[in-house]
């Protein structure tokens, strides 16, 4: 009888080992001995590190399953293990987790601020593969629960430009801008080679091993140490990344560039009016080193840089005041270097889906009385050539102006 009971218990253990595979502990010494993770695997070191610390576990049969998508339950358990957040207390109630292997750790992850039961009113659905945008929201929320400045960063990036293809082409909800921004800005997550974020895609267990390694470090750092996040925050709150990217330029007191954003700035001879919405500056000297998180959005490998100037990309619109207004009318009408410029050359506009000026000026791009919005490229001085200062200004029709100042 004892033998029969023992066989029954062993059979049960085998069943549990399949159903709740991630929960089967693997000793640290065996972390590098998974049958399906060779030393040449691209995530070998990250997997080894995560397993040795107990953040991720094997399936109980000697396999790690690196290519399996991570589920909600699995990632919640991982976050509960890696996070040093305080648990706010109060058991999170999810109707479909009673008796589930992840019940305790999902509740702990919720208590540490990664998500709320209110986000899953219809059940947590623990076996559901976690989407990338959901992962971004969880990690950003966890950081915000730990550090109030991350919470402020979420607020600051609600209206930012997110440098992924979905920003213009669609596929990213505006409500998700802050969470994706926190991921991109800190480097916790990145886009795909085609510059998409892929918010609806899932993430493999191998990829999670790498991401969680980053999270372990990121949670110990203040958001201000991440330049990319500072850019995204500045763009979200001021419409430009100037101060983060080119600190050598100062604003004339009381005349930040945001002062004139969205206002009419007339072209010469009153042929039309320009409205400016964003400025994106680059401090680098090559396509590989643009000095901005927005580099790939505006610069491709064929872009020519000049050592004596900084690139600036301008998001603006034109309303023509006359029939027959064309590209030459626009170019000849510009009064300031920061009012507009030439087309954004290369493939970036097609790749990211934004409008830029044509190489030649068809009359039909502009219509009298109709607002036409596009990105253009201009520049400002990198070095002082004469005198003690260099100033670039833009005057709006209402008398206000924005000005940036470069001094010795």
């Amino acid at each position: 009888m004892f033998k029969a009971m023992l066989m029954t218990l062993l059979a049960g253990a085998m069943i549990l080992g399949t159903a709740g595979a991630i929960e089967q502990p693997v000793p640290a010494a065996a972390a590098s001995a998974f049958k399906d993770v060779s030393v040449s695997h691209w995530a070998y070191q990250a997997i080894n590190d995560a397993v040795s610390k107990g953040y991720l576990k094997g399936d109980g049969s000697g396999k790690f399953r690196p290519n399996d998508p991570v589920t909600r339950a699995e990632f919640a358990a991982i976050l509960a293990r890696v996070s040093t957040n305080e648990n706010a207390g109060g058991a999170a109630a999810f109707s479909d987790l009673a008796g589930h292997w992840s019940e305790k750790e999902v509740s702990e992850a919720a208590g540490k601020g990664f998500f709320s039961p209110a986000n899953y009113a219809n059940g947590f659905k623990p076996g559901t593969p976690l989407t990338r945008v959901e992962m971004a929201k969880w990690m950003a929320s966890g950081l915000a629960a730990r550090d109030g400045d991350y919470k402020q960063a979420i607020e600051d990036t609600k209206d930012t430009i997110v440098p992924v293809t979905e920003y213009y082409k669609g596929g990213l909800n505006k409500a998700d801008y802050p969470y994706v921004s926190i991921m991109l800005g800190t480097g916790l997550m990145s886009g795909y080679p085609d510059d998409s974020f892929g918010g609806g895609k899932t993430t493999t267990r191998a990829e999670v091993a790498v991401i969680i390694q980053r999270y372990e470090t990121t949670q110990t750092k203040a958001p201000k140490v991440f330049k990319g996040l500072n850019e995204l925050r500045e763009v979200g709150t001021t419409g430009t990344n100037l101060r983060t990217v080119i600190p050598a330029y100062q604003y004339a007191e009381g005349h930040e560039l945001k002062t004139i954003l969205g206002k009419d700035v007339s072209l010469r001879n009153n042929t039309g009016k320009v409205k400016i919405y964003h400025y994106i500056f680059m401090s680098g000297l090559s396509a590989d080193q643009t000095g901005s998180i927005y580099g790939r959005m505006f610069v491709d490998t064929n872009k020519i840089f000049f050592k004596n100037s900084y690139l600036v990309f301008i998001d603006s619109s034109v309303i023509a005041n006359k029939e027959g207004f064309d590209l030459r009318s626009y170019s000849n009408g510009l009064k300031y270097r920061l009012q507009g410029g030439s087309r954004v050359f290369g493939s970036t506009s097609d790749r990211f889906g934004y409008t830029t000026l044509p190489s030649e000026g068809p009359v039909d791009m502009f219509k009298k009385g109709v607002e036409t919005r596009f990105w253009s490229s201009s520049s400002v001085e990198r070095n002082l050539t004469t005198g003690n200062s260099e100033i670039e200004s833009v005057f709006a029709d209402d008398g206000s102006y924005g000005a940036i100042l470069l001094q010795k």
Side-chain angles (χ1 to χ4, degrees), residues 181 184-187 222-235 241-247 281-284 289-295:
S181 293
L184 298 176
T186 59
K224 65 182 180 181
V225 306
F226 298 102
K227 183 186 173 212
L229 182 55
N230 292 338
E231 278 190 76
L232 292 163
R233 294 178 72 174
E234 187 183 1
V235 170
N241 64 344
L242 175 72
R243 296 298 298 122
T244 302
V245 173
I246 313 177
F281 290 83
M282 305 278 167
S283 62
Q289 299 290 332
T290 63
S292 170
I293 196 171
Y294 292 100

Side-chain angles (χ1 to χ4, degrees), residues 335-347:
K335 295 186 287 186
Y336 316 105
R337 295 174 77 174
L338 291 176
Q339 187 179 11
S342 59
R343 68 169 297 166
V344 180
F345 287 93
S347 61

Side-chain angles (χ1 to χ4, degrees), residues 360-373:
E360 295 182 359
V363 173
D364 60 0
M365 178 175 180
F366 302 100
K367 302 286 186 182
K368 182 180 178 181
V370 177
E371 185 175 20
T372 302
R373 189 163 172 174

Side-chain angles (χ1 to χ4, degrees), residues 156-171:
D156 291 346
T157 52
K158 285 183 176 180
D159 294 311
T160 198
I161 296 172
V162 188
V164 292
T165 59
E166 293 94 335
Y167 181 79
Y168 279 107
K169 291 185 174 181

Side-chain angles (χ1 to χ4, degrees), residues 23-88:
E23 282 305 286
Q24 303 308 307
V26 175
S32 60
F34 290 115
K35 300 173 185 176
D36 52 356
V37 182
S38 69
V39 293
S40 61
H41 191 282
W42 66 270
Y44 172 80
Q45 291 295 342
I47 292 171
N48 210 39
D49 182 69
V51 170
S52 67
K53 293 176 179 177
Y55 300 153
L56 285 112
K57 301 173 183 179
D59 68 355
S61 70
K63 292 183 179 180
F64 181 76
R65 307 195 326 266
N67 298 321
D68 283 10
V70 73
T71 65
R72 285 178 181 168
E74 289 172 341
F75 198 62
I78 293 165
L79 289 175
R81 296 165 191 161
V82 73
S83 174
T84 55
N85 287 12
E86 289 186 12
N87 192 332

